[in-house]
Each structure stands twice: as structure tokens, then as C-alpha cells.
Amino acid sequence: MSGEEIIVGKPKVATASLAGCFGCHMSLLDIDERILDLIELVEFHKSPINDIKEFQDRCLIGLIEGGCCNEDNVEVLRKFRKYCDILISVGECATMGGIPALRNTIPLEECLKEAYLNGPTVCNPQKQIPNDPEIPLLLNKVYPAHEVVKIDYYLPGCPPSADTLWEALVALLDNRPIELPYQLIKYD
């Protein structure tokens, strides 16, 4: 080996949960002991897994779970597109809006009234819908990730299985196309 050895760090992976349930992150953790193998292959960056909140570097792969229901979700998703070479929609909420998108058939004002004023379990003596400037503004509907930014890959499921996530990540890290066997993407 020459004296001018170039040391390249591990590829970085970033993850985020937008409007969803965090089930896709739980599925990632469900790769069980393979998480130790994954840690040998990648460095987690900007992820709830390691609690890094801001991008410091470019990332090879970004995993997005959840759709966009508010301004904050859109901002996070746009940052992921800016900082990640490969962006993957993970799960039904990111790919199609999922359960949060059920509100898309009801006007936003009606949803807010039901949630904060008229719902059967609401206790709101002031009869006010929250409007603090610290609360991100809701969008008129919930958008899947691909309607906000360019998405490179989609992993279906609610949530996708741990094996699906593992196979996709390993393929990308090995610079191979993602070819998921039918048993990993069937839901019947």
C-alpha cells in the first residue's frame, strides 16, 4: 500500500418520520441482530435512531416514512431531497398518504372542528382551535412524498417488513438494483 492511502468513511443513511405512526422505523429495528451488520456497513445520520436532528453532511440514502400533512413535513422532506443522493418512500403513508390521508375527503375546517370542538372526547372549555405560531400550519390535504419531491424508490407495506428494508438497503449499498422477491412485497 502506498503512503497516500485514501480513507473513505461509511455511507451515511438518514431517516425521518413525517405524518405516520413510526411503524416503519420499528420495522427497521426489527431486522434484529442484522442491525449490528448494518452498523458495520453504514453510519446513521440525522435520524431518530441516533437523535441527530440536523444534516451535517450528504447522505447516500434517505428513508422517509409518512406523508406530508403540514408545512414542517414539507420542509423536512425537501431537506432530505437536497441532502440525500437516493431517497426512498417507506410504507403506505409515504407512498400513498396512508391512514392520515383519510382526511383528504373532508374539508380541513371540518376536521379541525371535529378534533378540537365537537369530537365525543373533546374537553375544550375555551372552544378554540389551536393557532399558536409554533404549531406548523396544516396543509389542505395529506400528500404522499412523491407529490412533494422526486422519490427514487418505493418500499410498500404498512409497514414494510424488516426483510424488505434489509434487502433494499443491502442491494443499494452493494450497488445492485433492488429486486425484491414476491414474498417480501405481497400482502394477502
Side-chain angles (χ1 to χ4, degrees), residues 11-83:
K12 292 178 176 61
V13 174
T15 70
S17 183
L18 306 176
C21 70
F22 225 82
C24 297
H25 274 83
M26 296 307 295
S27 200
L28 180 61
L29 295 175
D30 281 345
I31 65 174
D32 298 327
E33 70 275 354
R34 291 176 293 181
I35 196 87
L36 299 173
D37 297 332
L38 187 58
I39 295 300
E40 292 298 318
L41 299 173
V42 303
E43 175 186 334
F44 278 98
H45 183 74
K46 192 185 174 346
S47 173
I49 292 172
N50 59 7
D51 204 29
I52 294 176
K53 299 195 184 336
E54 295 296 326
F55 282 102
Q56 307 298 318
D57 296 308
R58 286 207 61 73
C59 293
L60 176 63
I61 300 170
L63 301 171
I64 294 292
E65 132 178 35
C68 292
C69 75
N70 63 44
E71 288 179 332
D72 184 58
N73 296 152
V74 171
E75 182 183 329
V76 168
L77 184 56
R78 286 183 176 154
K79 278 187 182 176
F80 264 73
R81 180 69 279 175
K82 179 179 176 183
Y83 284 96

Side-chain angles (χ1 to χ4, degrees), residues 7 17 26 33 45 48 63 68 71 83 106-107 128 131-132 146 149 155 171 176 178 181 187:
I7 299 174
S17 183
M26 296 307 295
E33 70 275 354
H45 183 74
L63 301 171
C68 292
E71 288 179 332
Y83 284 96
I106 303 166
Q128 290 184 335
N131 64 355
D132 188 290
H146 70 273
V149 300
L155 295 179
R176 293 184 286 115
I178 297 175
Y187 295 94

Side-chain angles (χ1 to χ4, degrees), residues 13 34 69 78 82 93 103 108 119 123 132 148 167 172:
V13 174
R34 291 176 293 181
C69 75
R78 286 183 176 154
K82 179 179 176 183
C93 294
R103 81 163 166 94
L108 182 56
C123 178
D132 188 290
V148 177
E167 291 297 325
L172 290 171

Side-chain angles (χ1 to χ4, degrees), residues 83-117:
Y83 284 96
C84 298
D85 297 332
I86 299 167
L87 195 55
I88 304 173
S89 278
V90 180
E92 294 309 306
C93 294
T95 60
M96 297 190 309
I99 300 269
L102 289 175
R103 81 163 166 94
N104 289 354
T105 61
I106 303 166
L108 182 56
E109 185 177 337
E110 224 178 290
C111 288
L112 292 171
K113 284 180 180 175
E114 182 68 18
Y116 294 105
L117 303 176

